[in-house]
Amino acid sequence: MPDSSPSGSHPAPSFSIVITTYNRLALLKRAIESALNQTVPCEVVVADNASTDGTQAYVKSLGDQVTYQRNATNTNHSGAVNSGVAVATRDWVKLVDDDDYLAPNCIEEMQKAIALRPEAVICSCQAAQVETDGTELSVTPPTGPGKVFYIPQADIHYGMLLEVVPFGTPIQVAVRRDAFNQSGGWDMAMTGFDDIDSWIRVTRHCDALFINQCLSYRTVWPGG
């Protein structure tokens, strides 16, 4: 795989942060706070899988800070992702599960990286694995050289097969909205690896970026 570095500079893309949730209001509040506290303006969307724990009332109390999308029934994770992206309006979508959260500068750093390679359709970063109380356990390893590593489209799938291009879980990944839609979204028939399946189909459309900086936090549940 070539040691590629982005070059040039373009206007920073706009971002929607799509948070998927179901009956985890206490954790959802943390995820929403991390989205609203980004160092650059973002659209924040909450895709609610028919929660019954007060999620709807809480999110609506935030007013126009957050766009609320409620599914009539629980459509599982993939259905929540698809419904959230469907109402997003910005250039890129940053996915967040309700038990995960973002560093304050996550979107700003992704904007900087994408502005160097606007052809990219996926951008990932390192993540810290944390316990339910926020205690840090580990950090995902870097991918490639430098702070921002560019992976040409022709090398992505081979790199994923060899596990040298691990885009990671949704909290690490942002996707260009048009490429997500063209790829058909997440496969609602899948019960596992639906995120990786989506990354594979999205990256059929162009290049990828990996930021060697910890910009996100993923909760590891006991026994998980």
Side-chain angles (χ1 to χ4, degrees):
M1 181 173 301
D3 175 1
S4 302
S5 299
S7 60
S9 182
H10 297 264
S14 60
F15 263 79
S16 298
I17 299 174
V18 173
I19 306 171
T20 55
T21 191
Y22 177 66
N23 280 348
R24 291 204 285 205
L25 179 55
L27 291 168
L28 173 64
K29 290 178 178 179
R30 182 181 65 179
I32 292 174
E33 182 180 12
S34 78
L36 294 177
N37 287 340
Q38 290 298 301
T39 55
V40 294
C42 299
E43 176 183 58
V44 180
V45 176
V46 171
D48 179 10
N49 252 337
S51 294
T52 58
D53 63 348
T55 289
Q56 181 173 8
Y58 173 74
V59 177
K60 287 193 171 183
S61 76
L62 299 174
D64 59 7
Q65 296 183 89
V66 176
T67 298
Y68 181 62
Q69 169 65 26
R70 180 178 174 84
N71 295 333
T73 60
N74 189 325
T75 57
N76 296 322
H77 191 205
S78 56
V81 168
N82 289 343
S83 66
V85 176
V87 299
T89 63
R90 305 296 172 84
D91 302 326
W92 279 71
V93 173
K94 178 70 195 76
L95 299 171
V96 177
D97 292 338
D98 55 11
D99 58 338
D100 301 333
Y101 55 102
L102 304 172
N105 62 332
C106 177
I107 301 304
E108 181 177 8
E109 293 299 325
M110 286 189 163
Q111 283 183 333
K112 290 176 182 177
I114 295 163
L116 298 172
R117 191 73 185 183
E119 302 92 331
V121 293
I122 194 167
C123 180
S124 188
C125 66
Q126 291 176 273
Q129 278 56 244
V130 298
E131 293 182 336
T132 54
D133 63 359
T135 302
E136 186 172 314
L137 298 171
S138 62
V139 177
T140 53
T143 294
K147 180 180 177 181
V148 179
F149 181 59
Y150 154 60
I151 309 117
Q153 196 277 337
D155 296 320
I156 290 171
H157 293 167
Y158 184 60
M160 291 179 74
L161 178 66
L162 296 182
E163 296 187 349
V164 294
V165 182
F167 291 122
T169 60
I171 193 59
Q172 295 173 250
V173 175
V175 294
R176 207 171 73 195
R177 187 167 60 90
D178 61 350
F180 179 93
N181 290 332
Q182 290 166 21
S183 74
W186 282 31
D187 187 344
M188 294 178 62
M190 297 188 71
T191 57
F193 303 104
D194 44 3
D195 51 354
I196 296 172
D197 171 70
S198 178
W199 313 155
I200 291 171
R201 287 183 288 107
V202 166
T203 53
R204 289 174 182 161
H205 295 277
C206 206
D207 308 331
L209 297 162
F210 194 96
I211 303 172
N212 285 318
Q213 185 176 352
C214 182
L215 300 172
S216 58
Y217 298 86
R218 177 174 177 264
T219 298
V220 178
W221 291 89

